[in-house]
Amino acid sequence: MITDLFQFRPAYGDVDQMGYVYHANYLKYCHQARNELLRKLDLDEVILEKNNIILPVISFNINYKKPAYFDEVITIKTTIKEMPKIRFNFEFEIRNEQNIFLSKAKSTIVFANSQSRLPKNIPGFIEQILKPKFKTNMV
């Protein structure tokens, strides 16, 4: 299992008329958290693009429990629970600065060739980076 924490403060423009972070912004926040985790693994979008790999989202599901507000510190815990094959699953847990649970989300992306746009198996260099992270979980 791979886990990472991403922290930020919602901008004023992210808040709706009710004073809550607008619901659609959570998708953007989870995308940022996923990208930060991949960057820490040396798999940022620049490296992926140089290797003709894109990561289109095929599903995103979110459950809201409590609202987030402008300028409070938000922490997103991003988790990869299993070694990807073609699909690459991410789970997100979002909390505020009082550690109050705000929402959880799941996102599934696929590895795809940037020219053909067709899904493909996990590229070898990505597998080499991720495999040691899951080795301790293997039976």
Side-chain angles (χ1 to χ4, degrees):
M1 180 162 46
I2 300 171
T3 302
D4 186 53
L5 297 177
F6 171 66
Q7 290 189 314
F8 66 98
R9 290 178 184 270
Y12 184 75
D14 291 349
V15 178
D16 65 18
Q17 192 172 11
M18 295 180 287
Y20 301 153
V21 169
Y22 181 66
H23 70 279
N25 287 321
Y26 289 84
L27 176 67
K28 175 179 72 173
Y29 299 156
C30 290
H31 180 80
Q32 286 178 286
R34 183 190 83 208
N35 283 351
E36 287 303 314
L37 170 56
L38 292 176
R39 179 177 283 110
K40 289 176 183 175
L41 294 169
D42 293 323
L43 293 172
D44 63 58
E45 290 177 331
V46 174
I47 291 170
L48 296 174
E49 286 177 10
K50 284 181 182 176
N51 286 279
N52 298 319
I53 298 164
I54 55 174
L55 300 174
V57 175
I58 60 170
S59 70
F60 184 83
N61 184 318
I62 188 164
N63 293 312
Y64 302 99
K65 300 297 179 189
K66 294 191 180 289
Y69 300 93
F70 164 69
D71 203 42
E72 70 177 337
V73 176
I74 303 298
T75 301
I76 301 180
K77 178 181 176 183
T78 307
T79 304
I80 304 169
K81 289 188 174 178
E82 59 189 13
M83 183 71 181
K85 294 179 180 144
I86 295 173
R87 295 176 183 222
F88 200 173
N89 299 304
F90 294 83
E91 294 184 14
F92 307 94
E93 184 179 291
I94 304 169
R95 293 180 177 270
N96 67 11
E97 56 195 315
Q98 290 81 34
N99 202 32
I100 295 171
F101 178 76
L102 303 179
S103 61
K104 66 179 179 178
K106 292 183 179 183
S107 176
T108 301
I109 60 178
V110 294
F111 298 104
N113 178 284
S114 63
Q115 273 74 49
S116 70
R117 307 284 190 190
L118 295 174
K120 59 185 278 170
N121 288 326
I122 182 173
F125 79 97
I126 296 175
E127 187 173 15
Q128 288 177 347
I129 290 171
L130 296 180
K131 201 170 206 173
K133 309 285 186 201
F134 291 97
K135 213 171 203 174
T136 57
N137 296 335
M138 299 171 99
V139 178

